[in-house]
Structure formats: C-alpha cells, structure tokens
C-alpha cells in the first residue's frame, strides 16, 4: 500500500491503546509522513458529501475534484450497480432525479415511474447527462456536460489529485441498498472489495471509510475478510434503538464508527460519549449552508455546535470549504 492509500485517521479503540512506546513513535512518524492534512492541529475530519455538492452537481468528477481542492479529508461517492455489475457513483438506485434518463431511454421506465441503474448497462449509463438536483444550486439547464462516473474513475481522480497536489484525501464510499441489489442478482460487497483492493485500499489504516445503512453488509464485508474501517449509518427511524449502549456494543463487532443523522445527536447528545466509550468515531450527516435547521443562523454556528460542543470526530457536508475553514481557524 503506498502513501496515498493510507491515513492514520482512526481513533484507537480502548483495547489497543496500550501499545508499546516504540509503536507509538512509529505511528507519529507515519502520521507526519502521510500528507499535509495530517499536520493540522486537529484530528477532526471534513467529509465532502457527494463531492462539493453545494457548488457543482453531486457525484460528478468535477464535484469530487473541487472537494479535493477545497481541502476535504475524505470524499464521498454513493455507489449503485449497473445491469452488467459495474459500480457507478449515483445517490439513488434510480437515475431520474439527477440525469436525463427519461429523455435518453423513455421506454425503460418501470411501472413505479422510475428508471433504475440496475436496468441499464454501463455503456448505456455513460450516455446520460447529469444535472443538478436542487433548484437553488448549480443551474439545472447548464450547457456544461457532466456524466455519471464509475467508482474506478472516482478513485483514479482522487489518487491522481493526491499525487499532483501532494495532499492525501481519502474516500468514503457508501454501498446503497445492498439487500435490494442482491435480490436483483447484483451482489455489491464482492465487487466492491475487489475494486478497492485493486487500488490499494487494504487493512485497517487505509484512507477509506466504508459506510452503509445495512449492518448485514458491514458484517458480510468482515466475513469476506475486509479489515477496512467501516461506519454504520443510522437514520432517524430506528436511531433510538441503534444508539443504545447495547446496540453500540454489538456494532463494535463490525464497525469502527457510526454515521448518525444530525437530528439524532441533537435529540440525544450523549450518543457521542456512548460511541466514544466503545471506541467508535462519530460522523453525522448532512451539513448544508442553504438548508439550515433552527436555531442556526449560519453554517458555522451549526459546525461549532457539532465539532466543538457535541465533540463529533467529523461530519458530512455539501460545503467542505466552509468546514475546512472552520477547523483551520486560528485558536482563540
Ligand atoms: O452517507 C451519509 C449520508 O450521505 C447519508 O445520507 O442519503 O445523503 O446518502 P444520503
Ligand atoms: Ca451517502
């Protein structure tokens, strides 16, 4: 594994904290060697949600590149599969919210009104143009053409930028609805591990977090031999049950962290301490300057609440430049 596929980004679990001094010195040397982002005075991280999606259409190579340039520590692709089993970067299992699939393949709509990536080959997906999802953001009718990247293209972009800038950003891929994909004859986990392994992401210190809402997938990845850092995403619906002390004790069996919705932490700030006691990092989602929840007047107010007061280890944001500036602000 080379320098650009590993970062010492994980909080150590209590059971491995009693390492010999020589190992601690090695860890510090590795930390210093791993790139500029590791020299910052904080270990808290910025995760670019769907790329720098506040500025450019989500899940495009342009949005990922901008996120890298803005200093994101990790860049998030959401992953779905095509009919021929290729991993591509799209938020939904269907394509109609962010592409022109309705124009290009009008007869491929399912009875539920959606066009699914799993119904198209990669060659067909490549014919689609991606547009902005939200009306208040990048013009939805821009003549600039964006396309759906493969996961391999996303990784090569990030690793290329790591090399040319000398700053290592990690990747934070989410496997979207693996149970649905498996039912459709498209098991994701094996294809995912083969691909990230090919690009050097191996072992517990790799510059990657693998995220999923489905615990069974994180368990399956471990059963397949993966030692990559894993994060269990937790939504509002089952959030209270999934963040009890007993539930977090179970999660430690297959996860290195949790990714709760930010409203869960607002409702129960003690989740952070419970997770930390188990050695789990906490990375809530999603922080948006143009969709602020009350009582926050600015994104920075909200960032202060979560990074500084609630003590989270990182967070997903559509505006990675703002979170970067917040973490790098002068002390005092
Ligand atoms: O993966 C963290 C967050 O992105 C989960 O929500 O729907 O934006 O993928 P979503
Ligand atoms: Ca996601």
């Amino acid at each position: 594994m080379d320098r650009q596929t590993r970062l010492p980004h994980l909080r150590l679990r209590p059971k491995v904290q009693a390492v010999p001094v020589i190992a601690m010195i090695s860890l510090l040397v590795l930390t210093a060697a791993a790139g500029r982002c590791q020299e910052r005075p904080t270990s808290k991280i910025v995760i670019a949600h769907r790329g720098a999606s506040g500025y450019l259409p989500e899940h495009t190579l342009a949005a990922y590149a901008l996120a890298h340039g803005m200093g994101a520590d990790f860049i998030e692709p959401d992953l779905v599969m095509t009919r021929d089993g290729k991993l591509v970067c799209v938020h939904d299992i269907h394509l109609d919210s962010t592409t022109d699939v309705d124009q290009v393949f009008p007869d491929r709509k399912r009875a539920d009104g959606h066009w699914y990536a799993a119904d198209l080959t990669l060659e067909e997906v490549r014919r689609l143009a991606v547009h902005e999802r939200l009306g208040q953001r990048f013009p939805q009718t821009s003549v600039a053409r964006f396309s759906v990247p493969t996961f391999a293209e996303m990784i090569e972009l990030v690793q290329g930028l790591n090399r040319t800038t000398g700053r290592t950003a990690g990747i934070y891929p989410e496997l979207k609805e693996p149970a649905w994909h498996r039912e459709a004859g498209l098991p994701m986990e094996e294809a995912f591990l083969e691909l990230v392994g090919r690009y050097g992401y191996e072992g517990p210190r790799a510059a990657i977090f693998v995220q999923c809402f489905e615990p069974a997938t994180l368990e399956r990845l471990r059963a397949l031999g993966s030692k990559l850092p894993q994060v269990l995403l937790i939504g509002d619906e089952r959030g209270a049950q999934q963040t009890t002390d007993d539930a977090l004790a179970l999660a430690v069996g297959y996860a290195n962290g949790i990714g709760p919705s930010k409203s869960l932490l607002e409702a129960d700030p003690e989740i952070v301490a419970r997770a930390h006691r188990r050695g789990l990092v906490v990375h809530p989602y999603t922080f948006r300057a143009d969709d602020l929840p009350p009582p926050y007047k600015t994104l920075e107010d909200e960032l202060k609440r979560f990074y500084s007061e609630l003590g989270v280890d990182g967070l997903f944001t559509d505006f990675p430049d703002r979170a970067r500036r917040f973490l790098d602000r002068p002390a005092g």
Side-chain angles (χ1 to χ4, degrees):
M1 183 184 301
D2 71 16
R3 218 171 92 169
Q4 67 167 300
T5 59
R6 65 187 287 166
L7 278 177
H9 56 270
L10 280 176
R11 180 192 298 267
L12 295 178
R13 286 185 185 170
K15 65 183 177 188
V16 296
Q17 276 179 339
V19 292
V21 171
I22 190 71
M24 284 304 294
I25 293 170
S26 303
L27 182 62
L28 290 171
V29 170
L30 275 174
T31 303
R36 185 164 61 83
C37 65
Q38 292 306 309
E39 292 159 15
R40 293 191 178 106
T42 174
S43 61
K44 294 182 187 290
I45 62 168
V46 176
I47 306 153
H49 182 248
R50 314 182 195 177
S53 58
Y55 302 97
L56 281 163
E58 67 186 47
H59 294 311
T60 58
L61 291 180
Y64 297 143
L66 185 59
H68 195 293
M70 288 176 161
D73 296 301
F74 286 82
I75 302 172
E76 183 206 34
D78 291 318
L79 301 176
V80 304
M81 289 189 100
T82 61
R83 195 174 82 200
D84 46 348
K86 306 298 184 199
L87 289 161
V88 293
C89 306
V90 185
H91 177 263
D92 309 303
I93 55 175
H94 44 78
L95 295 160
D96 31 289
S97 299
T98 54
T99 78
D100 60 352
V101 66
D102 56 327
Q103 307 292 315
V104 182
F105 298 107
D107 56 340
R108 306 288 280 279
K109 182 166 64 169
R110 288 196 192 184
D112 66 1
H114 288 299
W115 283 259
Y116 287 74
D119 292 340
L120 271 58
T121 65
L122 176 59
E123 186 277 322
E124 290 171 331
V125 169
R126 285 193 187 284
R127 286 190 242 161
L128 306 177
V130 172
H131 59 74
E132 171 58 53
R133 177 188 294 270
L134 302 172
Q136 76 273 20
R137 291 188 175 175
F138 195 86
Q140 289 172 307
T141 55
S142 162
V143 295
R145 187 177 164 83
F146 304 96
S147 54
V148 176
T150 65
F151 184 30
E153 288 165 345
M154 185 272 177
I155 291 174
E156 291 201 15
L157 177 86
V158 171
Q159 294 194 348
L161 286 168
N162 288 350
R163 177 187 291 185
T164 55
T165 65
R167 187 185 75 84
T168 297
I171 59 172
Y172 208 126
E174 179 184 350
L175 280 69
K176 282 286 180 190
E177 304 201 37
W180 182 92
H181 277 91
R182 189 165 287 275
E183 186 75 16
L186 293 167
M188 303 184 84
E189 294 89 344
E190 292 83 352
F192 173 81
L193 286 182
E194 187 282 320
L195 187 59
V196 295
R198 199 182 334 141
Y199 282 101
Y201 297 96
E202 283 174 350
R205 304 208 70 80
I208 185 173
F209 283 99
V210 183
Q211 46 164 337
C212 193
F213 278 104
E214 298 177 17
T217 279
L218 299 180
E219 291 177 307
R220 190 182 302 276
L221 290 167
R222 287 282 185 258
L224 289 167
S226 176
K227 294 184 169 50
L228 296 173
Q230 298 193 152
V231 167
L232 175 65
L233 296 174
I234 301 177
D236 289 324
E237 201 174 320
R238 296 183 50 234
Q241 299 114 282
Q242 287 186 289
T243 53
T244 63
D245 204 37
D246 287 347
L248 293 174
L250 279 178
V252 167
Y254 53 82
N256 307 87
I258 57 170
S261 77
K262 59 187 185 182
S263 54
L264 275 174
L265 297 190
E266 292 275 28
D268 181 5
E270 285 304 307
I271 291 171
V272 179
R274 287 203 293 279
H276 283 172
R277 277 198 295 275
R278 296 284 177 185
L280 296 164
V281 294
V282 181
H283 296 162
Y285 63 89
T286 301
F287 293 77
R288 299 179 163 116
D290 53 1
D291 187 18
L292 288 169
Y296 303 107
K297 296 281 185 282
T298 68
L299 178 62
E300 286 67 27
D301 290 344
E302 194 183 18
L303 295 175
K304 179 168 180 255
R305 170 71 177 150
F306 279 79
Y307 276 130
S308 309
E309 296 169 15
L310 295 181
V312 303
D313 306 282
L315 49 79
F316 291 84
T317 178
D318 296 357
F319 298 83
D321 56 333
R322 304 269 294 265
R324 176 82 281 143
R325 275 202 298 278
F326 179 83
L327 287 179
D328 290 354
R329 72 198 184 287

